Amino acid sequence: MEAPFSGSDMYADYERLAEDVRTMQERMAGIRATADSEDGLISVTVGGAGELIELWLDPRVYRTLDSAALAESITATVHRAAAESQEKGMVIAAGFLPAESSPEGTDLRFGPLLHRLDERAGGR
């Protein structure tokens, strides 16, 4: 196991980093991304982690009784909104990520990072 932070300078650096990460998490929690289906009959809003916040269905979706097509359209619309949410998160987290980072290969959940930093700081 790596040695915990030692000295007041390192602890102060840790505190600044942890606070920056927590601030970033708060900003990311406020992300909202909305996408509409190609036909305009479905609208979804997702949060910063891509979680579904709101689903709106125009009553006209029931005119066609094809549940598989409806499910496919909802899924595609959620994926578009989640991709937009991820892009917004990448902008917020840019200062913490390597320049070559891409939305597809980046996990923007920083809770595990904070936990690891807390462990390294000796549980302070």
Side-chain angles (χ1 to χ4, degrees):
M1 180 172 173
E2 295 174 274
F5 287 93
S6 61
S8 62
D9 287 342
M10 289 187 79
Y11 186 69
D13 289 344
Y14 159 74
E15 285 294 322
R16 279 189 295 278
L17 176 60
E19 184 58 33
D20 288 347
V21 171
R22 286 184 183 94
T23 299
M24 179 186 56
Q25 283 182 310
E26 289 171 11
R27 290 182 59 205
M28 290 175 71
I31 291 174
R32 297 294 180 265
T34 300
D36 297 323
S37 62
E38 292 179 12
D39 60 9
L41 300 179
I42 300 165
S43 180
V44 300
T45 300
V46 301
E51 73 279 14
L52 185 62
I53 303 284
E54 184 176 291
L55 170 64
W56 175 84
L57 302 175
D58 186 296
R60 293 177 291 165
V61 299
Y62 301 112
R63 291 183 183 164
T64 304
L65 300 177
D66 185 350
S67 62
L70 177 59
E72 185 178 309
S73 186
I74 290 171
T75 300
T77 306
V78 169
H79 286 186
R80 279 197 302 281
E84 181 182 331
S85 173
Q86 180 83 356
E87 287 289 338
K88 290 179 178 183
M90 292 290 290
V91 169
I92 292 170
F96 293 90
L97 302 171
E100 67 276 2
S101 296
S102 69
E104 298 79 26
T106 304
D107 183 353
L108 294 177
R109 294 171 294 180
F110 287 90
L113 170 64
L114 283 172
H115 180 73
R116 174 89 172 157
L117 288 171
D118 285 340
E119 285 178 343
R120 290 192 62 206
R124 294 183 199 177

